[in-house]
Amino acid sequence: AIVVLVSELAKRSDKLGENEMLRQQMAEKLQKIEEMMAELRDTEAGELLRRFQEMLEQMDPERLPEELEQMRMDHAEILEQLERTEAMLEQLMRDQKLDALQRELDELLEQQEKLRAESEQLPEQRPQAEAPEAEQQDEAAETEAAADSSDSAKSEQEQEAGGEETPEQKAEREALAEQQEKLAAETAELLKKIQDAAKELKEEFPEQAEAMEKAAEPQTPEDPSGPMEDAGEQLGDKSPDANQSQREAARRLLKLY
């Protein structure tokens, strides 16, 4: 519909006696609209695009010259309508990009919480809430060992409490560490996308754009990819601090909303 419309308008322009500059502006606007529609066609904005396409199809190219005559619509008026259409599509594209960023952030937060829950099952990543109970068990074991005057029994209990990592546990821990490091890289990429989106919005929405840019600034005390990288290394090293780093990463992700 767009291509045919361009052709008809080009033919009609000579009869209306408008100047070359306006005809060129109209052609450029129509071309840009066509490109934006092509970009939006494969996105979730498809429903809105379908409605817009129906609107264009109702503009019968064969009747266009007659309609232009009846309405005495000159190129300046057509150009104004095209500019409004262009603005509408640009807004639609911005909304679609922001929605995509929102969904990506939701997914990252969900993955981080899933990783934290799975990591908590590792022996060295027991939740802090379990610490008092563990300490009580250690004290009870020491008392029993002292009563029995048996150093060997105490040594055996300590070895069991420490527990040597099985091959399956090691594989699980290393897999979690790898997933955590991958999530850190994906988060860093999301921050870059947010920064790019903020730059596009800066002219029209300066305050919102500045807030987005500041929130997504990399390598700052609020960058969520930092504690994610720490957690990946800590899981690899069997450090009990991994769980705390994962919680901090989730907290920073929430601040991006």
Side-chain angles (χ1 to χ4, degrees):
I2 290 286
V3 175
V4 177
L5 188 58
V6 171
S7 177
E8 286 294 332
L9 286 173
K11 293 177 183 177
R12 186 60 183 165
S13 64
D14 292 332
K15 294 181 181 180
L16 290 176
E18 298 294 341
N19 62 52
E20 179 64 28
M21 182 177 294
L22 284 174
R23 290 201 300 271
Q24 182 64 28
Q25 287 177 329
M26 286 170 52
E28 290 175 357
K29 291 292 182 186
L30 285 165
Q31 180 63 32
K32 187 171 182 180
I33 288 172
E34 184 178 12
E35 291 172 356
M36 288 191 293
M37 290 178 65
E39 184 175 343
L40 286 167
R41 193 166 288 121
D42 297 329
T43 70
E44 291 190 3
E47 178 61 22
L48 289 176
L49 181 60
R50 184 185 63 78
R51 296 178 187 174
F52 181 72
Q53 188 69 35
E54 290 175 356
M55 181 187 73
L56 285 177
E57 289 171 356
Q58 292 173 5
M59 299 175 65
D60 187 350
E62 295 181 0
R63 295 186 55 196
L64 185 60
E66 177 185 347
E67 292 172 357
L68 289 175
E69 278 291 350
Q70 291 174 352
M71 298 176 64
R72 298 184 181 277
M73 182 182 292
D74 61 17
H75 281 79
E77 292 170 332
I78 296 174
L79 184 59
E80 184 179 346
Q81 287 195 6
L82 290 177
E83 287 173 347
R84 286 198 294 267
T85 301
E86 180 186 1
M88 180 192 73
L89 286 175
E90 286 177 346
Q91 180 62 50
L92 183 61
M93 292 177 70
R94 283 196 298 267
D95 291 345
Q96 192 274 332
K97 288 179 181 178
L98 292 176
D99 287 344
L101 290 175
Q102 177 75 54
R103 290 192 300 273
E104 193 170 346
L105 179 56
D106 291 342
E107 185 177 347
L108 287 176
L109 182 58
E110 182 179 350
Q111 290 182 35
Q112 181 58 72
E113 287 298 284
K114 183 174 181 288
L115 274 175
R116 181 184 61 79
E118 292 177 354
S119 299
E120 282 183 349
Q121 304 307 312
L122 299 174
E124 70 274 9
Q125 300 299 331
R126 289 178 302 174
Q128 294 298 320
E130 295 181 8
E133 181 180 350
E135 291 172 1
Q136 291 174 6
Q137 291 176 350
D138 290 342
E139 290 176 1
E142 290 174 4
T143 302
E144 182 181 351
D148 295 340
S149 301
S150 174
D151 293 336
S152 61
K154 180 177 178 181
S155 176
E156 183 178 342
Q157 288 172 352
E158 289 176 348
Q159 182 178 359
E160 184 178 349
E164 288 203 11
E165 191 177 44
T166 65
E168 291 80 8
Q169 288 174 326
K170 180 180 179 182
E172 180 184 6
R173 176 176 56 77
E174 290 177 345
L176 289 171
E178 184 177 349
Q179 292 175 44
Q180 185 65 79
E181 291 171 356
K182 180 181 177 182
L183 195 61
E186 291 175 356
T187 300
E189 182 62 27
L190 174 62
L191 294 181
K192 184 179 182 300
K193 291 178 182 178
I194 294 175
Q195 290 269 313
D196 292 341
K199 291 176 183 177
E200 293 179 8
L201 293 172
K202 184 169 290 186
E203 184 175 348
E204 190 171 358
F205 306 102
E207 292 183 5
Q208 294 89 332
E210 184 180 356
M212 285 177 60
E213 220 168 359
K214 185 176 180 180
E217 190 174 354
Q219 298 181 346
T220 65
E222 290 301 322
D223 180 353
S225 66
M228 287 183 183
E229 293 175 353
D230 293 341
E233 294 177 1
Q234 290 159 347
L235 285 169
D237 296 336
K238 294 181 66 175
S239 168
D241 295 330
N243 187 259
Q244 182 178 351
S245 295
Q246 289 173 324
R247 290 179 183 274
E248 175 62 17
R251 184 192 71 80
R252 296 187 187 185
L253 281 175
L254 285 170
K255 294 192 71 173
L256 290 175
Y257 282 89

